[in-house]
Amino acid sequence: MQVFADNQFGAFSGHSTNWNMRAATDSLSLKPYVGMRANAGDCIEWNTATPEDADYKAFRNVLTGDGLPYLDVPGNHDLTTYNNAAKFPYTRTTADGIFERMARTADEWARDVPARGSANAVASTSDIAVMGVSSDLWAYRPNIASPNYAPPDPLTEATLTWMDQQLTALGSKPTWLMSHQLPLGQFASNPGGVDEYLRPWSRIAEVLDAHPNVLGWISGHWHIDPARADGVAKINVGSRSITAINAPSSQGLRSGWNAKQLQYGDGTLGPEYAKSMFIGYDGTDITLRWRNHNNGTWVQPQGGKYRRITL
């Protein structure tokens, strides 16, 4: 499975639309090695002055041109806008009385961008499945300097019931959960300074614990370098654990930007490459690889071209 995250099409993106299209074209050349593709959110950098949704649709159309299954989920930048003249004038006031910027719900995004209708969806092949889940809203609070994002809405009871039903229907098929938000335990410390973990985790874990076919959880959002050891973690779901994988930013890492999050273990900044992640599973081990779409080569974090995780 090939995983993109944090493409962030738009005026504030680290890469141009042309780069994203090159990434899509390079990905098509890898079809013999890929069974399906996924995107862990922040597909666009939503600003109504620029056509991010249209650009992402074009990218998605190229990427799905070879007929492989593709599943995407919305992230904070997909659901909140920098421009108060948003086309989705969804507003609300937080418990502390702070009026949030314009935003759209996850299902509004799903209807407008992927032409899917619902943000929660499943894609599968004959031997593996990915279930995308999303909070209804991830809101931006303009008059707080840091952090800027309010805690995302918890997953609704309806979403949790849907997850349980879908996992039951998938039976014994190995299944990944995927969201832009982080599953609890993905990192030792809260990366964003606000509660950006999925909630209510006790109920989420209760659902997952009942389904041994759940292999792991894929998330985005943090723009980390693949060389970070904590990008992969074992997280508890009731009586057992699953593998959590934080996908690297497909937008690329930029020196001087959010430097604390982009450091290697030795404190040096990671390289400025743009990439996607490839996740393999042979029934025993999970193998990770990363593709540099700037030059069509395999990235070599941690001194090698892959990272193996023994379950």
Side-chain angles (χ1 to χ4, degrees):
M1 176 172 58
Q2 180 183 14
V3 180
F4 286 90
D6 300 276
N7 298 80
Q8 294 182 230
F9 279 88
F12 301 102
S13 176
H15 285 289
S16 66
T17 297
N18 288 337
W19 176 85
N20 280 284
M21 288 305 184
R22 290 200 305 274
T25 301
D26 181 50
S27 298
L28 295 181
S29 70
L30 302 172
K31 182 178 180 179
Y33 309 102
V34 182
M36 65 184 303
R37 299 189 178 95
N39 194 315
D42 274 5
C43 306
I44 67 170
E45 189 78 12
W46 189 22
N47 183 313
T48 55
T50 53
E52 292 92 345
D53 280 350
D55 287 345
Y56 174 61
K57 283 180 181 178
F59 166 82
R60 188 174 182 273
N61 286 340
V62 171
L63 199 61
T64 57
D66 59 6
L68 293 181
Y70 180 81
L71 180 67
D72 42 11
V73 293
N76 49 301
H77 289 283
D78 298 306
L79 302 184
T80 59
T81 178
Y82 289 99
N83 188 329
N84 281 336
K87 57 185 174 181
F88 291 95
Y90 186 101
T91 62
R92 68 177 188 180
T93 302
T94 64
D96 53 10
I98 297 169
F99 186 70
E100 297 166 347
R101 288 196 182 195
M102 301 295 186
R104 55 184 169 183
T105 66
D107 282 349
E108 285 173 328
W109 171 86
R111 288 192 293 270
D112 190 64
V113 181
R116 188 169 67 224
S118 174
N120 299 324
V122 177
S124 65
T125 67
S126 60
D127 55 7
I128 202 161
V130 179
M131 176 183 297
V133 296
S134 177
S135 297
D136 287 344
L137 190 72
W138 195 324
Y140 188 90
R141 302 193 293 191
N143 51 344
I144 293 181
S146 180
N148 286 329
Y149 288 97
D153 286 348
L155 297 186
T156 64
E157 193 61 35
T159 294
L160 293 168
T161 298
W162 173 85
M163 288 170 56
D164 185 52
Q165 293 171 343
Q166 294 298 316
L167 288 170
T168 299
L170 288 167
S172 61
K173 180 178 289 188
T175 301
W176 291 96
L177 273 291
M178 181 178 70
S179 63
H180 190 65
Q181 290 161 260
L182 308 171
L184 188 66
Q186 172 71 75
F187 294 101
S189 61
N190 193 326
V194 297
D195 186 6
E196 293 177 349
Y197 290 113
L198 287 156
R199 300 173 293 149
W201 186 255
S202 60
R203 281 286 292 120
I204 297 170
E206 180 183 346
V207 171
L208 301 188
D209 191 20
H211 297 283
N213 57 314
V214 174
L215 182 61
W217 199 298
I218 301 165
S219 60
H221 188 55
W222 209 21
H223 296 239
I224 67 168
D225 189 275
R228 288 187 61 115
D230 59 359
V232 177
K234 293 291 185 180
I235 59 173
N236 292 324
V237 289
S239 63
R240 63 191 183 93
S241 65
I242 61 175
T243 300
I245 300 175
N246 190 253
S249 168
S250 302
Q251 182 188 163
L253 310 183
R254 297 170 295 190
S255 295
W257 175 81
N258 223 1
K260 182 180 178 182
Q261 297 181 8
L262 307 185
Q263 291 176 346
Y264 285 109
D266 61 4
T268 59
L269 285 174
E272 296 182 20
Y273 52 73
K275 55 202 171 292
S276 60
M277 172 182 284
F278 290 76
I279 304 176
Y281 175 60
D282 63 6
T284 302
D285 292 344
I286 298 168
T287 303
L288 305 184
R289 290 177 172 84
W290 298 269
R291 181 77 170 182
N292 180 339
H293 296 294
N294 281 332
N295 56 19
T297 61
W298 296 102
V299 178
Q300 299 191 47
Q302 297 186 337
K305 291 186 178 181
Y306 68 91
R307 178 175 180 180
R308 185 175 295 276
I309 305 155
T310 300
L311 299 180

